Amino acid sequence: MKMKIFFISALFSCIFINSYAQSSSDDLTLAKIKNIGYQQSQVKQMTYELADVYGHRLTGSREYLAAAKWASAKMKEAGLVNVHFENFCTDCRGWNVKNFNVELQSPNYMHIVAYPLAWTKSTDGIVEGDVVNIESYSNMNLVEQQYAGKLKGKIILLGEEPLPKSLPDNIFKRFTKEELIEMQNRLVPQIEAIPIPKQLEIWHDEYFEDNAFLQFVENEGALAVFKTSSSIAGIVNVGGTYYYKENDPKPLPYFIIMPEHAGRLIRLLKQNISPKIKFNLETDFYNELDNNVNIIGEIMGSDAKLKSEVVLIGGHFDSWHTATGATDNGANCMVLLEALRILKESGLETKRTIRLAFWGGEEEDFNGSVAYAKKHYGEFNSKPNTESEKVTAYLNLDNGIGLVRGVYLQSNEYARPVFKDIFHRFSDSQDYYVTIENKLGNDHLTFDYYNIPAFQFIQDQLDYRPVTHHTPLDLPEYALESDMMKNAVMLAWTIYSLASSEEMVPRKIKN
């Protein structure tokens, strides 16, 4: 009996010692990560340098390549190895705005707040014309019947009069605890996942739905098309035309104008007053295929058996041309790089290799991540190859630049215990949540298609959607340093945990 008690006591002692050792090791690891991430953070300075010095990073542009070269140098400076470019597009053309201006001339002067859409043509110098309002092009037969022979020298204002609206009560938004708990408690996703090939088909149809209209009004001699966006407080949500391939059409001058100015023009027309607008637009098209690159770098694993396995992390590096792409998605890229810089600076080693990828062309059909996946894992509609089976997880950061609050499991219930354990051991001042929900619209969908455990982080929206997303306000002022620092530390711990685990992250589909 005494011997039995002795063995039981010894067993529990071993369990306690192992548990204590693990806890003590985790505490030391976290202390190293937090010390460097909080006391020696470089994420703010890197974000400012990327955004302010290199500006926008439109796919295919010279600005994108200049920023990519800077980012690759930063990867090397942080201690990453095998830093290189991988081309993702052989027919994506470059485009830039050189100058533009839009002014109402009559019935009285007003400077119109506007911005040209990407990949539109120049005007023939300064031009002037009357405004014609066409509410919709959904019925092109009707448009052609009504306006054939009536658009020469005109400026088309596309769309209906924006509805009057006041500012929302809360532009700046963080998730409440109740919202996060509700997300975590969902038994099944509320949003249906769409396979990436099908998603690309849907987007392609949407992107080209205005092509017939643009061709018609240009053939009729119109000078330009103006339209507006459902933004607030004079903000213009711009984006592009998506005609970014060499053989795509080059649309006539195409502008987004602020909703309030569009409203005034339409109301003038309803009062039988014809607004006259003077404007110019000078743009530049060029074909420099070397501009279209993903930026890749690695921290090599230290375990002889597991270093061939990979934790892949990424976010899109390209942006629209209206601002500097700070919140979409430059700052998040710098958070990812900062997380790996923290791991290298701390001297921590991982069993698996960590691979960081900055994707190009995300704003245009996920071009960067799709090209990478096809090259490394096989074409769509084929069985994923053995290289894909070596990727334990893909982590994506592209959801505004707010605080990370947890992770979307993308319907992968098998991965819930993995993240719950990682979050539990990260003893920080906030809780992190795990939801079965599918998140759409980000590069992780590419890797999910290949049955790689692929996840997007839950992030506070802050003022991303109403203010900075695809607008001229996508600037570093809206990237909060404290959130970026916390995110970099949290990601460093998460990446370290996945790369150091004895087991791979479970896949959704059992092979």
Side-chain angles (χ1 to χ4, degrees):
M1 183 68 180
K2 290 181 179 179
M3 185 64 68
K4 184 177 180 181
I5 294 173
F6 170 79
F7 279 122
I8 293 173
S9 300
L11 175 63
F12 277 102
S13 295
C14 289
I15 293 172
F16 175 79
I17 291 169
N18 288 337
S19 177
Y20 176 79
Q22 177 65 49
S23 177
S24 178
S25 175
D26 287 347
D27 289 344
L28 180 59
T29 298
L30 282 168
K32 290 179 179 179
I33 289 173
K34 289 180 179 180
N35 180 63
I36 295 169
Y38 295 148
Q39 305 301 323
Q40 304 170 39
S41 175
Q42 294 183 17
V43 68
K44 176 182 176 181
Q45 181 55 39
M46 288 194 296
T47 298
Y48 281 16
E49 187 173 351
L50 171 64
D52 294 334
V53 176
Y54 292 90
H56 79 78
R57 300 174 299 283
L58 185 69
T59 296
S61 68
R62 293 162 184 151
E63 288 82 358
Y64 179 91
L65 181 60
K69 290 179 177 178
W70 172 87
S72 67
K74 282 293 180 182
M75 286 185 182
K76 294 174 184 176
E77 184 181 310
L80 275 63
V81 298
N82 301 330
V83 177
H84 64 282
F85 292 158
E86 293 189 14
N87 190 277
F88 63 80
C89 186
T90 59
D91 60 351
C92 293
R93 60 192 177 195
W95 178 90
N96 283 94
V97 177
K98 301 180 82 171
N99 68 74
F100 72 94
N101 189 45
V102 182
E103 299 173 322
L104 178 68
Q105 296 295 298
S106 67
N108 42 58
Y109 180 85
M110 180 178 71
H111 182 266
I112 293 178
V113 176
Y115 219 98
L117 291 165
W119 294 292
T120 64
K121 289 190 294 194
S122 302
T123 60
D124 185 14
I126 299 174
V127 295
E128 188 173 300
D130 293 324
V131 175
V132 173
N133 180 215
I134 299 178
E135 290 189 351
S136 172
Y137 55 74
S138 59
N139 187 336
M140 278 304 301
N141 289 331
L142 183 60
V143 170
E144 291 172 3
Q145 290 174 15
Q146 289 184 335
Y147 295 101
K150 300 177 182 178
L151 300 180
K152 186 174 179 59
K154 304 296 185 181
I155 296 165
I156 311 303
L157 179 54
L158 179 62
E160 300 179 357
E161 179 184 354
L163 295 174
K165 57 185 175 183
S166 57
L167 293 177
D169 292 335
N170 187 7
I171 295 174
F172 186 93
K173 177 172 172 34
R174 291 195 185 274
F175 283 108
T176 65
K177 185 174 182 178
E178 290 72 23
E179 288 172 329
L180 291 164
I181 291 174
E182 189 276 328
M183 291 169 64
Q184 183 163 267
N185 288 341
R186 290 175 190 170
L187 301 179
V188 295
Q190 293 183 354
I191 300 172
E192 181 181 357
I194 302 175
I196 191 66
K198 180 62 176 178
Q199 181 66 79
L200 296 182
E201 289 179 13
I202 294 170
W203 283 341
H204 185 273
D205 292 343
E206 291 176 351
Y207 295 161
F208 284 82
E209 66 180 7
D210 60 357
N211 184 45
F213 174 76
L214 295 175
Q215 291 288 340
F216 169 72
V217 298
E218 183 171 12
N219 292 340
E220 289 293 312
L223 297 175
V225 173
F226 290 3
K227 67 177 181 178
T228 192
S229 57
S230 57
S231 305
I232 60 171
I235 298 172
V236 289
N237 191 305
V238 183
T241 63
Y242 296 96
Y243 300 134
Y244 60 89
K245 297 290 187 72
E246 283 186 25
N247 295 325
D248 285 343
K250 295 179 179 179
L252 76 168
Y254 199 176
F255 289 86
I256 293 286
I257 67 174
M258 65 182 265
E260 295 84 346
H261 287 177
R264 183 186 179 194
L265 296 176
I266 292 173
R267 289 192 298 273
L268 285 170
L269 290 170
K270 288 180 177 179
Q271 297 174 73
N272 296 319
I273 298 172
S274 180
K276 188 179 292 293
I277 292 177
K278 180 173 72 173
F279 69 101
N280 72 285
L281 172 62
E282 185 179 0
T283 66
D284 184 23
F285 287 87
Y286 48 89
N287 296 320
E288 296 172 1
L289 301 184
D290 289 343
N291 296 350
N292 303 305
V293 293
N294 296 319
I295 310 106
I296 315 291
E298 294 180 329
I299 296 177
M300 298 303 297
S302 60
D303 186 277
K305 293 183 179 180
L306 297 182
K307 66 181 180 181
S308 63
E309 297 178 359
V310 176
V311 176
L312 181 61
I313 64 174
H316 79 87
F317 192 67
D318 62 305
S319 75
W320 287 116
H321 56 296
T322 45
T324 64
T327 68
D328 187 22
N329 186 45
N332 275 333
C333 287
M334 295 304 98
V335 166
L336 292 169
L337 180 54
E338 172 72 357
L340 297 199
R341 187 195 71 81
I342 290 169
L343 294 181
K344 288 296 294 183
E345 188 71 20
S346 68
L348 295 169
E349 292 185 339
T350 58
K351 295 180 174 68
R352 293 182 181 82
T353 294
I354 303 166
R355 183 173 301 148
L356 171 61
F358 292 162
W359 310 119
E362 186 269 356
E363 298 290 2
E364 302 80 26
D365 296 333
F366 294 176
N367 269 279
S369 62
V370 167
Y372 178 90
K374 286 182 176 181
K375 175 182 176 180
H376 290 273
Y377 310 136
E379 292 291 329
F380 287 164
N381 301 317
S382 64
K383 183 179 179 180
N385 61 25
T386 55
E387 185 177 349
S388 73
E389 295 172 1
K390 290 289 188 179
V391 183
T392 184
Y394 173 73
L395 305 178
N396 197 72
L397 196 64
D398 171 24
N399 226 357
I401 190 55
L403 195 63
V404 169
R405 308 298 298 277
V407 71
Y408 296 97
L409 289 176
Q410 209 67 23
S411 298
N412 186 356
E413 186 63 43
Y414 298 115
R416 186 184 295 270
V418 175
F419 285 102
K420 286 187 70 175
D421 182 57
I422 290 171
F423 294 159
H424 173 72
R425 289 186 288 154
F426 187 78
S427 54
D428 208 347
S429 58
Q430 69 175 72
D431 293 325
Y432 294 88
Y433 298 82
V434 182
T435 176
I436 194 65
E437 191 60 80
N438 296 308
K439 181 68 173 66
L440 305 184
N442 305 110
D443 282 299
H444 66 291
L445 297 179
T446 298
F447 302 95
D448 181 74
Y449 176 76
Y450 288 85
N451 197 27
I452 292 169
F455 311 98
Q456 166 69 36
F457 288 100
I458 303 169
Q459 287 181 272
D460 284 332
Q461 285 293 288
L462 307 184
D463 31 31
Y464 179 60
R465 286 294 174 184
V467 176
T468 69
H469 183 247
H470 296 181
T471 80
L473 294 176
D474 191 357
L475 300 163
E477 283 81 354
Y478 294 92
L480 301 182
E481 182 181 14
S482 59
D483 282 15
M484 290 191 292
M485 289 170 60
K486 290 177 181 178
N487 289 349
V489 168
M490 175 62 204
L491 280 166
W493 169 251
T494 301
I495 295 162
Y496 172 82
S497 299
L498 293 176
S500 300
S501 173
E502 291 292 337
E503 303 295 331
M504 296 184 76
V505 178
R507 278 155 160 71
K508 282 192 289 188
I509 301 170
K510 296 295 186 181
N511 292 323

